[in-house]
Amino acid sequence: MSDNEHNIDMDRYFDDPEYRKSVMGKNKEKDPQKNNNSNDRPLKKKILLYGGLSLLLLFLLGAGYFVYLLQALPSIQELENPQTAVATEVRSRDGAVLDRYYVENRTSVTIEEISPNIINALIATEDHRFFNHWGIDLRRIAGLPYYWIQGRIQGGSTITQQLARNLYRDIGFEVSVTRKLREMITAIEIENNYTKREIIEMYLNTVEFSNSAFGIEQAARTHYGKPSRDITVSEAATLIGQLKAVYAYNPRQFPERAKSRRNIVLLQMFNRGFISNEIFQNLRQEDIQLNYQPPSRSGRESRYFGEYVRLRIQDWAAENGYDLFTDGLVIYTTIDSRLQQHAERSVQEKLEEFQPKFVEEWTSPGGDYMDEYWEKYPQFLREYMRETDRYKNAFQKYNTDQESVVFAELMADSAYVDSVKRVKTKLQASFTAVDPNNGNVLAWVGGADFGSQQYDHVHQSRRQAGSTFKPFVYAVAIDNGYMPYHKFSKFPTSFIESSGRLWSPKDPSVPAGPEMVALREALARSLNNITVRLLPEIAGAPGTNKANDLMPAARKIAEMASNLGIDMSDSQVYPSIALGTTEVSLLELVSAYTTFVNQGVHIEPVAITRIEDREGNVLEEFNPEYSQEVISPETAYMMIDMMRGVIRGGDGYHGTGVRLRNTYGVQQDVAGKTGTTQNSADNWFVAMMPHIVMGSWVGGEDRRIRFPTDDPNSIGQGARTALPIVGQFINYVTSDPDAPWSYDAFEQPPGFVMPEDPADSERDDRRGRIGW
């Protein structure tokens, strides 16, 4: 087909675009090329359609993946307020940490409280370009393939990326692109929200170290027994070296491996200019020296007291929306850490002294372990065995329902029997001290070892008070007009109970000397016979021989004890209350005695002063609860003066607490009272000074544990077990120039004159007249 057939001007076709368009439009259907394009149109449409759909799909997949990434990323609020589980601390009044409650053993500190050695070791080892990147070290990431080709597997995470993992656990720790991208995005966000200084601080407070220590402060205290601010270069390198693998580089379990890792950190510190070559060469030769404090002890010097505080605070925390184990509260208490340390030491040392003596008293020459005890109380061994898991599981193990079969099998295992005997016959002891002027608890030792026995013998355990209850009887007598010089017969008396039986309490022996004994001497010597003879007088039924007539006296004594802080129940109100059958806690007893020192005003014990959050904001304050005057200042002082005789003795007699002066050399003004229960299961001693009231108890964890009652030389007396703990405590404290202590004497109430025995005045007058 020729061009003329289409009447096309070819010159114009190439020169005139508009003409060309018109020609192309006219011949569109006749153009063979155009016809071919028309045939390809469905294919192109398909390509465009599928291509567009593919791009849309890729976009949707990318958007979906991005949304998936964002789901596990922390919110803006979480980034601005990162939450970590921080231990709540119980602190003494002088700032020492007494106990900690935690899920993760962590204490947060500011960067100013962290040694620069630690920061230098961290940056040199983990991220030496930390101050030059914005959360991701691109140079590090670009260089990773080079190391991987050489077979040197290395990570590329910056300190900020590691912090992202530590703070936001939803990011995870698995090895995947998704996790890494989330980590990077979060790291960038952290860098946008915090300064480098804040990032380092957060990192060191959140990272985990060996031996269950979370955060640098707790790591320093756990491994070296000191705060992080005091960590040396070598110690810092050891701690930071653990971060690569907290188990593998645990310096306690693998010292040589940890030393090798420490030296790598030291080398990095040298390479980055943080230490000189001389320091590096010297330190790399040193062995690792730890002062390891197990998490159970690190910052937990007083677990018994700490548990008492927790029980007191837990309801408050729940009501106010706080978690004691994660919210990092600080609970300030009245405890003085120096007194507390001396109290812990005194209890521990004295128990170590008493235990072998206790065993020896019950063991015959050449006999088996406490054979005389098991012979005297044959039922006790089987009772102890019934309380063990071994016994409880034995019926199924031996396929029997006969206890005789079980005991035959168990008794054949001598190692098991010996274990039961030794575990069940461990002595326990407790000690507490209270400031009588404000009720502040100054020291608290609830037992020998919280790890093995969690039962607190300061406030949970209630035992018969024995003779330490007698001052309440004498206080009632003084309030009823009796004076310290009034005398009663020292011989025993009996009362007829409603059942017809005789109640005949008496002293083990009648003391030598005149028949009539003054109340002052009777209390100093803890004479039961005199105390019992007071009951008819207090009851207003002198001369009675009926036990029921003594109930008014029992009620008055119970009321007195209750007013002084003893938790009394009606079931304990019997005439025998005068001899200490009432069960009390050591805390109650010591608190009651503070009333005598505080001129008759009782103050409930105070252990907690305030609670702060982790930023130092005061959340709650606690104030002592003052009660009304429960006895007159004059009665209180007369009781103090009478109980001086327990320690000093008097004309012709020794008080039961004289050992405090003769053995422990305590010469300052002190009053007190010893106590021993009838079966010698509980031994007590309370000592009073104007600035402090101290009390101690010694006995068995189990009430069936008791000292020999037929041995006058047994240590099973308040004066021989409980008193030595108090005496040792006083010796330790008075030898410590940093411990608070006062030597002030008791002062009489204004205008008060101690009443004197008229017979003594008459005798003195008579002596004067005849020239004596």
Side-chain angles (χ1 to χ4, degrees):
M1 182 181 295
S2 67
D3 293 340
N4 292 331
E5 292 181 18
H6 295 285
N7 299 315
I8 298 174
D9 185 343
M10 296 303 294
D11 292 332
R12 189 178 177 188
Y13 179 85
F14 285 103
D15 295 336
D16 188 347
E18 294 298 326
Y19 177 73
R20 186 167 54 249
K21 288 180 181 180
S22 66
V23 171
M24 292 176 67
K26 291 177 183 178
N27 297 285
K28 185 162 45 178
E29 294 181 2
K30 298 178 181 180
D31 189 341
Q33 184 64 38
K34 292 293 182 182
N35 290 336
N36 291 337
N37 288 342
S38 296
N39 294 332
D40 293 340
R41 186 180 301 164
L43 177 60
K44 289 183 177 180
K45 285 184 176 180
K46 289 181 180 180
I47 292 174
L48 290 174
L49 177 61
Y50 293 141
L53 290 175
S54 298
L55 290 174
L56 178 61
L57 181 60
L58 287 174
F59 174 78
L60 292 175
L61 288 174
Y65 181 65
F66 184 71
V67 171
Y68 173 70
L69 283 177
L70 293 180
Q71 286 179 345
L73 293 180
S75 65
I76 296 298
Q77 183 179 3
E78 289 176 315
L79 283 169
E80 292 177 349
N81 300 282
Q83 298 296 315
T84 55
V86 178
T88 289
E89 292 185 346
V90 179
R91 295 185 184 177
S92 67
R93 65 181 185 180
D94 51 321
V97 177
L98 300 173
D99 198 5
R100 300 159 54 78
Y101 318 130
Y102 57 81
V103 175
E104 295 178 347
N105 189 18
R106 176 186 288 110
T107 300
S108 291
V109 290
T110 64
I111 198 166
E112 288 81 10
E113 299 173 278
I114 301 173
S115 168
N117 297 323
I118 295 171
I119 299 171
N120 293 342
L122 175 66
I123 292 174
T125 307
E126 296 295 323
D127 189 359
H128 67 276
R129 281 189 290 272
F130 173 73
F131 292 103
N132 300 321
H133 63 65
W134 36 273
I136 302 172
D137 189 348
L138 295 178
R139 290 176 57 186
R140 177 67 172 169
I141 294 174
L144 288 180
Y146 170 75
Y147 294 104
W148 294 345
I149 291 172
Q150 294 179 320
R152 296 159 59 188
I153 303 301
Q154 297 191 13
S157 294
T158 63
I159 288 175
T160 315
Q161 288 175 258
Q162 295 178 48
L163 175 62
R165 294 198 302 266
N166 294 338
L167 284 180
Y168 309 108
R169 299 305 175 90
D170 287 344
I171 291 175
F173 291 87
E174 74 276 7
V175 179
S176 69
V177 174
T178 297
R179 197 273 300 168
K180 199 66 177 178
L181 288 174
R182 285 172 174 165
E183 177 188 293
M184 289 179 175
I185 295 172
T186 305
I188 294 171
E189 289 296 325
I190 289 174
E191 292 274 351
N192 287 334
N193 282 274
Y194 296 97
T195 66
K196 294 289 187 179
R197 178 190 185 90
E198 291 170 330
I199 291 171
I200 286 287
E201 181 179 297
M202 285 192 292
Y203 178 87
L204 287 172
N205 277 311
T206 56
V207 71
E208 180 182 0
F209 293 85
S210 301
N211 299 302
S212 301
F214 291 81
I216 189 61
E217 181 70 9
Q218 203 54 42
R221 293 185 181 276
T222 298
H223 293 89
Y224 297 106
K226 59 184 177 182
S228 57
R229 69 166 67 93
D230 297 332
I231 292 297
T232 65
V233 171
S234 180
E235 292 167 348
T238 302
L239 292 175
I240 296 301
Q242 297 173 16
L243 300 182
K244 185 175 179 65
V246 293
Y247 177 76
Y249 296 112
N250 186 329
R252 181 174 63 88
Q253 294 182 299
F254 310 109
E256 289 303 317
R257 192 186 300 168
K259 177 181 178 181
S260 176
R261 177 62 185 166
R262 178 206 64 185
N263 288 347
I264 292 175
V265 176
L266 290 172
L267 177 61
Q268 290 297 89
M269 294 179 74
F270 165 64
N271 290 337
R272 305 304 172 191
F274 290 114
I275 60 175
S276 66
N277 183 56
E278 180 181 1
I279 292 176
F280 168 62
Q281 295 299 337
N282 289 335
L283 294 181
R284 66 190 293 268
Q285 303 297 328
E286 295 180 356
D287 291 331
I288 290 179
Q289 299 292 331
L290 299 179
N291 178 17
Y292 180 62
Q293 304 292 318
S296 60
R297 294 205 306 266
S298 179
R300 312 190 79 174
E301 280 74 18
S302 183
R303 291 303 325 282
Y304 286 104
F305 179 71
E307 184 63 9
Y308 170 76
V309 170
R310 188 188 68 79
L311 293 173
R312 294 292 301 272
I313 292 296
Q314 62 182 0
D315 289 342
W316 173 91
E319 291 170 2
N320 290 275
Y322 291 102
D323 188 328
L324 289 178
F325 295 88
T326 62
D327 285 345
L329 304 179
V330 180
I331 304 171
Y332 285 93
T333 70
T334 58
I335 294 289
D336 186 284
S337 67
R338 296 153 294 188
L339 300 182
Q340 179 68 21
Q341 289 175 359
H342 294 309
E344 297 267 5
R345 180 182 175 190
S346 300
V347 169
Q348 193 64 40
E349 291 181 352
K350 284 303 174 182
L351 275 179
E352 290 175 0
E353 175 186 329
F354 297 150
Q355 184 66 38
K357 292 181 179 179
F358 170 70
V359 173
E360 182 181 354
E361 287 182 353
W362 281 113
T363 305
S364 62
D368 294 330
Y369 181 85
M370 293 183 61
D371 57 328
E372 293 184 355
Y373 174 83
W374 309 115
E375 182 179 344
K376 185 171 184 178
Y377 306 107
Q379 75 278 17
F380 283 179
L381 179 57
R382 292 199 171 204
E383 290 176 7
Y384 293 144
M385 292 171 67
R386 288 189 183 100
E387 297 166 3
T388 66
D389 290 337
R390 180 85 174 269
Y391 169 85
K392 296 171 184 176
N393 297 329
F395 290 90
Q396 181 177 359
K397 179 179 179 180
Y398 300 117
N399 193 25
T400 182
D401 58 358
Q402 300 296 314
E403 188 180 55
S404 58
V405 175
V406 169
F407 273 123
E409 294 288 347
L410 294 179
M411 287 293 189
D413 187 343
S414 59
Y416 161 73
V417 174
D418 186 64
S419 174
V420 171
K421 289 180 177 179
R422 293 179 184 277
V423 169
K424 290 295 186 178
T425 54
K426 289 287 186 182
L427 292 180
Q428 280 286 349
S430 57
F431 174 93
T432 193
V434 178
D435 185 335
N437 302 295
N438 52 26
N440 286 353
V441 178
L442 302 175
W444 181 302
V445 185
D449 179 17
F450 186 85
S452 59
Q453 291 288 348
Q454 289 78 47
Y455 197 60
D456 192 325
H457 290 282
V458 170
H459 84 105
Q460 288 180 315
S461 175
R462 302 184 68 84
R463 298 294 183 90
Q464 288 189 348
S467 294
T468 54
F469 204 83
K470 287 177 181 175
F472 310 140
V473 180
Y474 284 74
V476 173
I478 296 295
D479 257 4
N480 278 266
Y482 287 90
M483 293 292 111
Y485 54 75
H486 280 134
K487 296 180 179 180
F488 291 84
S489 172
K490 66 183 181 182
F491 293 105
T493 185
S494 299
F495 300 92
I496 303 172
E497 297 178 344
S498 56
S499 64
R501 294 182 305 176
L502 284 180
W503 181 51
S504 304
K506 57 182 180 294
D507 292 304
S509 62
V510 176
E515 175 183 346
M516 305 299 287
V517 177
L519 292 181
R520 178 187 301 279
E521 179 180 347
L523 183 59
R525 301 178 71 174
S526 200
L527 300 179
N528 292 339
N529 295 345
I530 303 296
T531 306
V532 171
R533 285 184 178 274
L534 274 174
L535 295 179
E537 308 296 325
I538 295 173
T544 185
N545 65 347
K546 295 181 179 179
N548 282 345
D549 292 340
L550 305 181
M551 286 302 294
R555 285 190 284 269
K556 288 182 180 180
I557 296 167
E559 182 181 7
M560 173 66 72
S562 179
N563 290 339
L564 269 62
I566 303 294
D567 185 12
M568 299 294 302
S569 65
D570 292 340
S571 62
Q572 301 183 54
V573 182
Y574 291 100
S576 59
I577 190 177
L579 300 182
T581 55
T582 299
E583 294 186 343
V584 302
S585 72
L586 179 62
L587 182 63
E588 284 179 336
L589 189 64
V590 171
S591 176
Y593 274 60
T594 64
T595 312
F596 298 129
V597 183
N598 200 35
Q599 298 186 342
V601 176
H602 177 68
I603 306 174
E604 285 295 315
V606 179
I608 305 166
T609 56
R610 72 182 186 277
I611 304 174
E612 297 180 357
D613 62 19
R614 65 174 75 179
E615 281 79 34
N617 300 309
V618 177
L619 303 176
E620 191 76 35
E621 291 187 284
F622 301 86
N623 298 307
E625 297 180 5
Y626 287 85
S627 66
Q628 296 296 319
E629 181 180 283
V630 294
I631 54 176
S632 69
E634 292 76 19
T635 296
Y637 184 78
M638 278 192 279
M639 290 303 305
I640 289 289
D641 190 61
M642 291 173 70
M643 283 188 277
R644 280 174 170 145
V646 174
I647 311 301
R648 297 178 179 176
D651 293 338
Y653 67 87
H654 291 291
T656 58
V658 69
R659 187 183 300 261
L660 193 65
R661 279 180 170 254
N662 294 348
T663 302
Y664 293 94
V666 179
Q667 299 301 316
Q668 65 186 98
D669 195 4
V670 56
K673 187 69 188 78
T674 59
T676 308
T677 53
Q678 187 174 12
N679 59 9
S680 292
D682 301 287
N683 302 324
W684 305 83
F685 180 66
V686 181
M688 298 175 286
M689 296 178 183
H691 71 287
I692 190 171
V693 177
M694 302 151 284
S696 182
W697 165 88
V698 176
E701 184 75 30
D702 192 289
R703 294 172 184 265
R704 290 164 291 192
I705 298 303
R706 68 245 350 225
F707 294 87
T709 56
D710 53 357
D711 182 1
N713 297 317
S714 170
I715 63 170
Q717 301 175 28
R720 294 177 180 174
T721 53
L723 183 150
I725 291 176
V726 175
Q728 188 80 296
F729 170 78
I730 295 173
N731 285 170
Y732 284 146
V733 174
T734 53
S735 299
D736 181 356
D738 296 325
W741 196 255
S742 172
Y743 292 89
D744 292 342
F746 290 106
E747 294 183 1
Q748 295 185 174
F752 174 74
V753 177
M754 179 64 68
E756 296 182 0
D757 186 352
D760 290 341
S761 298
E762 181 181 344
R763 185 165 51 251
D764 290 342
D765 290 343
R766 187 168 60 251
R767 286 174 178 173
R769 288 195 299 271
I770 64 177
W772 284 11

